Amino acid sequence: MNERDEIPWAELRRLAREATSRSYAPYSHVRVGAAALSDAGAIVVGSNVENASYGLTLCAECSLVSDLIRHGGGRLVALSVVAGDGEPIAPCGRCRQVLFEHGGAALVIDQGDGEPLTLADLLPRAFGPDDLPTRSTP
Ligand code: THU
C-alpha cells in the first residue's frame, strides 16, 4: 500500500455494514461495525461486543485492532465505522486513542458524503507512543 493507491471506501463501508450483523449488543441494541485497510494491504474488521457490566463493552474499533494484530499487525491507513442503519459514525473518544496507537495522525476516517477526516482532525495534539521515554518492542 502506498499513498498513490486508491482507498477502497465502498468495500470498507460494505464490510463495516456486514460486521454490524455480527455485533453482540443485547443491552444498547446499537450494532456497530468497522472495517479498515492496513499498510500491508490487509482488510481487518470488528464489531462491538457488549457486556453485562456495561463499562466493559468493547467497541467495534477495539475488535478491529485485535483483528489487525491477529493478521500480523501493521499500520491502519483508512477506516470506516458504521452503525446498524449503515451510516458512518464517529469513533468514540476512547477508540480515537486506541486507533492512534495503530494508525497515527494520518489515519483517514470515512465521513460518508463528506470528505474523509484524519485522526489528527478527531484527536488533535494526541498523546502517543512517542511521548513515552522508552518503548519496548511490540
Ligand atoms: N460503540 C462502538 O462500537 N464504537 C464507537 O465508537 C461508539 C460506540 C458501541 C459501544 C456500545 O456497544 C454501543 O455502541 C452503544 O454505545
Side-chain angles (χ1 to χ4, degrees):
M1 177 76 201
N2 66 49
E3 280 168 27
R4 284 170 301 166
D5 290 329
E6 273 295 302
I7 292 171
W9 287 119
E11 176 74 347
L12 292 179
R13 239 171 265 164
R14 185 185 71 73
L15 289 168
R17 286 173 180 149
E18 193 179 284
T20 64
S21 69
R22 293 189 296 277
S23 129
Y24 176 76
Y27 306 109
S28 76
H29 304 288
V30 176
R31 293 179 168 275
V32 182
L37 178 68
S38 81
D39 64 355
I43 291 190
V44 293
V45 297
S47 311
N48 58 329
V49 180
E50 297 189 342
N51 190 277
S53 179
Y54 287 16
L56 298 183
T57 287
L58 305 176
C59 286
E61 297 91 325
C62 293
S63 303
L64 177 142
V65 166
S66 294
D67 201 32
L68 175 75
I69 301 305
R70 195 177 63 83
H71 274 84
R75 304 289 289 169
L76 296 171
V77 172
L79 168 75
S80 178
V81 186
V82 303
D85 63 0
E87 292 303 311
I89 59 166
C92 77
R94 178 176 183 266
C95 288
R96 293 176 195 201
Q97 183 69 39
V98 170
L99 292 166
F100 187 78
E101 182 89 12
H102 300 280
L107 173 61
V108 190
I109 301 169
D110 187 21
Q111 299 298 305
D113 291 340
E115 276 297 299
L117 294 175
T118 64
L119 190 52
D121 295 321
L122 297 181
L123 190 68
R125 303 189 61 181
F127 174 86
D130 292 343
D131 295 305
L132 296 176
T134 56
R135 191 174 174 222
S136 59
T137 312

